[in-house]
Amino acid sequence: MNKNKKAIVIFSGGQDSTTCLFLTIQAFGKSNVEAITFQYGQRHAIELEKAQWIAQDLGIKQTIVDTSVIKTITSNALMDEQSEIRQIGNTPNTFVDGRNALFLLYTAIYAKSQGIQTIYTGVCETDFSGYPDCRDVFVKSMNVTLNLAMDYNFNILTPLMYLTKKETWALADQLEVFDYIQAYTHTCYLGVEDGCHTCPSCLLREKGLNEYLEEKQNS
């Protein structure tokens, strides 16, 4: 455990970021962990409500940053309640151009002001919706860019990068937070409590969950 250092987690209240939050607490200790959450104009409030509830329940300091100005320069189904969520090629129309770049930039600005070098983010390029800003090459490039931009030694960690959703559920079980994550995290793009079972995010989550439970039952 890194008792004398601090870390910050980009935290949405979803399965992946909550798993990262528990990993960070394990590595750094609860008193050395912060969460940062972004209000970017998402189409439903439940995501922010879940993130706030979990942070309060765990006793983690949370900073909420309003980046909804992005709605003035781009539009997509994740921020427009009138748009039908659908797949366009390999990527659903819920992809928000520049979102993760913006999240990492603002997190880095805040982290430096607090003397924090380690940033956790739950992006993954194994079981994902095809978002280009969830790829390892992107995160590594941002790490270099932020270090150069601020003359500061950031360390961006992506512990879920090469895990399938089934493996992410298995990790939650290893951390002894499987039930917590299943009960309290929110993933649904439509903002439906307990999931709509039809949007790309729900389908990924449920597919991984069912695969893990089946494997566990057969082992």
Side-chain angles (χ1 to χ4, degrees), residues 144-163:
V144 172
T145 297
L146 293 169
N147 288 6
L148 291 171
M150 299 186 212
D151 192 24
Y152 194 74
N153 187 28
F154 294 108
N155 183 26
I156 302 175
L157 300 180
T158 55
L160 309 185
M161 181 59 74
Y162 297 113
L163 299 186

Side-chain angles (χ1 to χ4, degrees), residues 91 133-134 194 202:
T91 307
D133 60 359
C134 288
D194 299 324
C202 280

Side-chain angles (χ1 to χ4, degrees), residues 39-41 66-74 79 102 106:
Q39 202 299 87
Y40 57 89
D66 186 349
T67 57
S68 57
V69 66
I70 196 172
K71 292 184 71 172
T72 65
I73 55 175
T74 189
M79 299 188 296
L102 196 64
Y106 277 85

Side-chain angles (χ1 to χ4, degrees), residues 40 42-44 47 77-78 85 92 94-95 99 129 131 186-192 195-196 199-202 204:
Y40 57 89
Q42 50 267 66
R43 61 193 283 167
H44 49 76
E47 180 177 287
L78 200 59
I85 293 175
T94 50
F95 173 60
R99 181 179 62 167
S129 298
Y131 294 173
H186 178 83
T187 304
C188 179
Y189 284 154
L190 297 179
V192 177
C196 68
C199 75
S201 187
C202 280
L204 277 174

Side-chain angles (χ1 to χ4, degrees), residues 40-206:
Y40 57 89
Q42 50 267 66
R43 61 193 283 167
H44 49 76
I46 189 172
E47 180 177 287
L48 292 170
E49 292 168 0
K50 292 285 187 179
Q52 287 181 282
W53 187 91
I54 292 170
Q56 290 173 3
D57 185 61
L58 297 178
I60 298 296
K61 179 183 176 182
Q62 181 190 34
T63 299
I64 299 176
V65 180
D66 186 349
T67 57
S68 57
V69 66
I70 196 172
K71 292 184 71 172
T72 65
I73 55 175
T74 189
S75 178
N76 59 76
L78 200 59
M79 299 188 296
D80 182 0
E81 292 183 9
Q82 306 306 314
S83 295
E84 179 186 356
I85 293 175
R86 54 191 173 87
Q87 196 81 11
I88 302 177
N90 294 324
T91 307
N93 63 346
T94 50
F95 173 60
V96 183
D97 283 314
R99 181 179 62 167
N100 283 343
L102 196 64
F103 288 1
L104 286 167
L105 172 61
Y106 277 85
T107 300
I109 293 170
Y110 175 78
K112 184 179 179 182
S113 76
Q114 302 299 307
I116 298 172
Q117 293 179 299
T118 303
I119 298 170
Y120 279 77
T121 179
V123 296
C124 167
E125 68 171 49
T126 303
D127 266 355
F128 75 134
S129 298
Y131 294 173
D133 60 359
C134 288
R135 295 175 297 170
D136 185 61
V137 65
F138 162 72
V139 177
K140 283 184 167 56
S141 71
M142 278 296 292
N143 204 150
V144 172
T145 297
L146 293 169
N147 288 6
L148 291 171
M150 299 186 212
D151 192 24
Y152 194 74
N153 187 28
F154 294 108
N155 183 26
I156 302 175
L157 300 180
T158 55
L160 309 185
M161 181 59 74
Y162 297 113
L163 299 186
T164 64
K165 276 292 182 284
K166 181 185 78 172
E167 292 169 331
T168 302
W169 281 113
L171 176 58
D173 213 357
Q174 292 166 21
L175 293 168
E176 300 181 343
V177 294
F178 178 90
D179 291 340
Y180 190 99
I181 287 176
Q182 187 176 14
Y184 299 124
T185 63
H186 178 83
T187 304
C188 179
Y189 284 154
L190 297 179
V192 177
E193 185 80 32
D194 299 324
C196 68
H197 314 297
T198 58
C199 75
S201 187
C202 280
L203 292 177
L204 277 174
R205 174 181 173 129
E206 291 170 12

